[in-house]
């Protein structure tokens, strides 16, 4: 058997059936695979270990949640009720219609100038890259500004617009990104000058290197576009704006 | 106080209804939601204790506030596929990690009155956290797209069969299996360095 055959589609099919429980290790096709393809043996072991670890991770979280004593106070317990009550008071009638939570008022939040620059940069980039507007449904009503900054449909960043202690790993997900093959990233400064990129990552995460941490200004904008196998964009780009 | 059983295999449509009622500013719903969100400081305190208290009280309070902010901003994305507490748990975990890393990055005090030993200890906690048994799994799952993540969580965390997973998500059992396998492969690619290390421990 050649190395290429080790990664034949049929092997992957057998591995999938084992992982989902449709075949056990005694099945003839599994035994044949194990005896003939060392790389698949390793892969099967890795994926089985991973599935076990995911299960244990869930149990760990459940144990912690089950152990919580709601009758006692923890540091910060006194913040919970005032925080949510204040946020709900801050919801204007317009916000009610959109059912979009307001941003934090107790923490340093993005000012109107920053929001304007981010929105302007987004508009410039979207126009320049010619990415997705032509395919958008023009009957869709405009969304609140913050939603647009997050990407109109596909991207979901954790804390897309926020102050951070230091730039760390940016991750994204949600929406229909399952067809994404890789992601194109461009990093800009607050005046929309391109600082880095475009560069490409395979997984939905980017972490600045130590050198980049030193070189980047104290406010950056990032534009992320999901690309399909043939290089076409998958939906709208997403944007994040962070400052330190 | 009533507490949701996070191991409950039923769907969490009542939690979703609660969140929708909160966003509609229904007063009784807000009270119930606030009571449920008291889990946030408790989770953070518990995780802090498990990790050897890398955060002092003031940092912990800041982290509670940061976590509440994130939860509020993401509240309209809650889909009811896990309990509110399990959903909040993920944000607590991520904010805790961020807080500890930020604390470790603060300048090291030097000279008379400096607390070099304390700073070194803080830095060691980051290492401890990074090898925390399951931290990387949770963060890896967070990086998957929603469908893969949900299928894996429902299968591995909630213990559902693929038929149940499919029913919950409105897809066929075979499609659920496909998402599960592809999701595991993606997760394996993200986490390979970590869980190989875990295996050696």
């Amino acid at each position: 058997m050649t190395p290429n055959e080790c990664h034949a589609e049929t092997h992957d099919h057998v591995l999938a059936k084992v992982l989902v429980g449709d075949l056990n290790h005694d099945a003839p096709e599994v035994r044949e695979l194990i005896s003939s393809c060392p790389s698949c043996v390793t892969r099967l072991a890795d994926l089985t270990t991973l599935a076990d670890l995911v299960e244990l991770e869930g149990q760990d979280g459940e144990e912690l949640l089950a152990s919580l004593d709601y009758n006692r106070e923890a540091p910060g317990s006194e913040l919970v009720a005032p925080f949510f009550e204040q946020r709900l008071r801050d919801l204007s009638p317009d916000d009610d219609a959109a059912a979009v939570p307001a941003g934090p008022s107790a923490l340093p939040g993005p000012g109107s100038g920053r929001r304007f620059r981010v929105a302007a940069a987004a508009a410039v980039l979207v126009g320049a890259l010619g990415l997705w507007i032509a395919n958008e449904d023009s009957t869709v009503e405009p969304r609140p500004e913050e939603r647009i900054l997050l990407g109109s449909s596909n991207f979901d960043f954790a804390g897309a617009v926020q102050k951070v202690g230091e730039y760390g790993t940016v991750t994204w997900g949600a929406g229909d990104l399952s067809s994404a093959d890789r992601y194109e990233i461009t990093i800009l400064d607050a005046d929309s000058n391109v600082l880095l990129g475009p560069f490409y990552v395979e997984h939905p995460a980017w972490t600045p290197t130590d050198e980049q941490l030193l070189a980047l200004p104290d406010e950056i904008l990032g534009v992320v576009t999901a690309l399909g196998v043939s290089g076409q964009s998958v939906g709208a780009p997403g944007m994040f704006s962070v400052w330190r | 106080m009533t507490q949701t059983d996070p191991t409950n295999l039923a769907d969490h449509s009542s939690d979703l209804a609660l969140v929708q009622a909160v966003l509609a500013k229904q007063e009784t719903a807000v009270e119930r939601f606030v009571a449920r969100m008291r889990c946030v400081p408790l989770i953070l305190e518990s995780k802090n204790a498990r990790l050897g208290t890398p955060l002092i009280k003031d940092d912990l309070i800041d982290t509670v506030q940061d976590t509440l902010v994130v939860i509020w901003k993401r509240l309209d994305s809650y889909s009811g596929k896990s309990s509110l507490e399990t959903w909040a748990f993920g944000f607590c975990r991520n904010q805790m990690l961020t807080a500890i890393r930020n604390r470790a990055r603060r300048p090291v005090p030097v000279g008379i009155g400096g607390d070099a030993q304390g700073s070194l200890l803080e830095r060691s906690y980051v290492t401890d956290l990074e090898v925390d048994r399951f931290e990387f799994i949770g963060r890896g799952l967070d990086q998957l797209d929603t469908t893969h993540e949900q299928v894996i969580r429902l299968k591995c965390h909630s213990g559902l069969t693929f038929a149940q997973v499919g029913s919950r998500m409105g897809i066929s059992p075979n499609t659920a299996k496909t998402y599960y396998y592809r999701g595991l492969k993606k997760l394996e690619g993200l986490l390979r360095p970590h869980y190989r290390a875990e295996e050696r421990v």
Side-chain angles (χ1 to χ4, degrees):
Chain A
M1 181 173 290
T2 69
N4 284 341
E5 286 173 322
C6 286
H7 301 287
E9 194 173 331
T10 52
H11 288 198
D12 206 45
H13 192 61
V14 172
L15 288 178
K17 280 182 171 278
V18 175
L19 263 295
V20 302
D22 286 351
L23 287 176
N24 63 39
H25 286 69
D26 292 332
E29 53 266 63
V30 179
R31 294 174 68 141
E32 183 186 341
L33 184 69
I34 289 173
S35 64
S36 63
C37 184
S39 67
C40 282
V41 172
T42 303
R43 190 151 184 77
L44 179 59
D46 285 350
L47 291 173
T48 304
T49 301
L50 179 58
D52 291 343
L53 283 172
V54 172
E55 194 169 326
L56 288 171
E57 186 259 349
Q59 289 171 5
D60 186 59
E62 287 165 8
E63 283 172 10
L64 188 148
L65 288 174
S67 71
L68 300 182
D69 178 3
Y70 279 69
N71 293 315
R72 58 179 297 279
E73 295 284 310
S77 286
E78 69 282 2
L79 298 176
V80 177
F83 176 88
F84 286 112
E85 286 162 4
Q86 181 62 47
R87 297 287 91 70
L88 286 161
R89 275 197 296 272
D90 288 346
L91 280 178
S92 69
D94 287 344
D95 290 334
D96 288 346
V100 175
S105 60
L107 293 180
S112 58
R114 185 190 306 278
R115 282 173 183 250
F116 176 79
R117 289 198 302 275
V118 172
V124 167
L125 273 159
V126 167
L129 299 174
L131 288 169
W132 57 274
I133 285 178
N135 294 324
E136 286 291 289
D137 181 354
S138 61
T139 62
V140 175
E141 291 184 5
R143 300 176 183 216
E145 181 190 17
E146 199 161 64
R147 283 296 189 78
I148 292 171
L149 298 181
L150 298 179
S152 70
S153 59
N154 292 61
F155 286 91
D156 186 5
F157 297 94
V161 182
Q162 67 174 20
K163 184 181 191 304
V164 295
E166 178 55 272
Y167 301 141
T169 299
V170 179
T171 63
W172 54 91
D176 182 19
L177 294 175
S178 57
S179 59
D181 181 60
R182 65 188 193 280
Y183 300 89
E184 181 186 87
I185 304 174
T186 305
I187 304 296
L188 308 96
D189 64 17
D191 296 318
S192 305
N193 299 310
V194 175
L195 301 170
L196 295 172
F199 57 92
Y200 301 88
V201 295
E202 186 181 353
H203 300 297
W206 170 64
T207 305
T209 64
D210 290 342
E211 291 78 10
Q212 289 168 344
L213 284 178
L214 290 172
L216 288 171
D218 286 339
E219 181 177 352
I220 59 171
L221 313 175
V223 180
V224 182
T225 305
L227 301 176
V229 176
S230 59
Q232 82 285 6
S233 63
V234 180
M239 252 191 109
F240 60 89
S241 169
V242 291
W243 58 102
R244 57 187 176 184
Chain B
M1 180 173 295
T2 304
Q3 184 179 341
T4 297
D5 178 7
T7 63
N8 186 358
L9 298 187
D11 71 15
H12 302 279
S13 54
S14 60
D15 283 3
L16 180 59
L18 176 62
V19 167
Q20 290 169 340
V22 167
L23 292 173
K25 299 171 73 170
Q26 292 179 13
E27 201 167 320
T28 55
V30 173
E31 284 177 19
R32 285 188 291 134
F33 178 75
V34 165
R36 298 281 297 275
M37 285 300 101
R38 291 185 69 251
C39 71
V40 170
L42 293 168
I43 291 170
L44 289 168
E45 182 191 44
S46 180
K47 284 201 74 76
N48 194 41
R50 286 185 179 201
L51 293 167
T53 59
L55 298 181
I56 61 174
K57 185 180 176 185
D58 285 349
D59 287 331
L60 201 52
I61 291 172
D62 286 346
T63 309
V64 168
Q65 171 115 344
D66 291 344
T67 308
L68 294 176
V69 168
V70 175
I71 286 174
W72 175 248
K73 291 180 78 170
R74 301 287 295 277
L75 193 56
D76 64 339
S77 71
Y78 175 71
S79 62
K81 290 197 168 66
S82 60
S83 74
L84 266 174
E85 286 78 5
T86 301
W87 182 73
F89 181 86
F91 296 119
C92 291
R93 181 188 59 218
N94 292 341
Q95 290 300 315
M96 170 71 80
L97 184 62
T98 301
I100 294 172
R101 283 186 168 148
N102 287 344
R103 183 164 171 75
R105 282 176 177 150
R106 288 177 191 167
V108 179
V110 294
I112 296 172
D115 184 14
Q117 186 183 14
S119 298
L120 286 173
L121 284 174
E122 287 162 13
R123 282 158 200 277
S124 73
Y125 283 126
V126 177
T127 305
D128 290 342
L129 188 65
E130 285 171 344
V131 296
D132 179 33
R133 290 190 72 197
F134 304 116
E135 205 69 46
F136 61 89
I137 298 282
R139 292 177 72 83
L141 284 170
D142 290 344
Q143 291 181 43
L144 295 179
D145 67 79
T146 306
T147 308
H148 289 110
E149 179 201 353
Q150 287 297 335
V151 168
I152 291 175
R153 284 193 189 277
L154 288 172
K155 182 74 179 73
C156 293
H157 291 180
S158 301
L160 302 188
T161 65
F162 284 110
Q164 290 169 322
V165 171
S167 173
R168 180 80 68 85
M169 299 188 66
I171 56 180
S172 73
N174 280 337
T175 303
K177 289 176 182 178
T178 302
Y179 274 116
Y180 176 77
Y181 181 61
R182 287 181 182 170
L184 273 186
K185 287 206 299 183
K186 287 187 176 184
L187 191 60
E188 191 251 356
L190 289 168
L191 305 179
R192 186 180 293 120
H194 296 286
Y195 80 85
R196 282 271 170 81
E198 168 80 9
E199 203 174 14
R200 288 193 294 270
V201 171

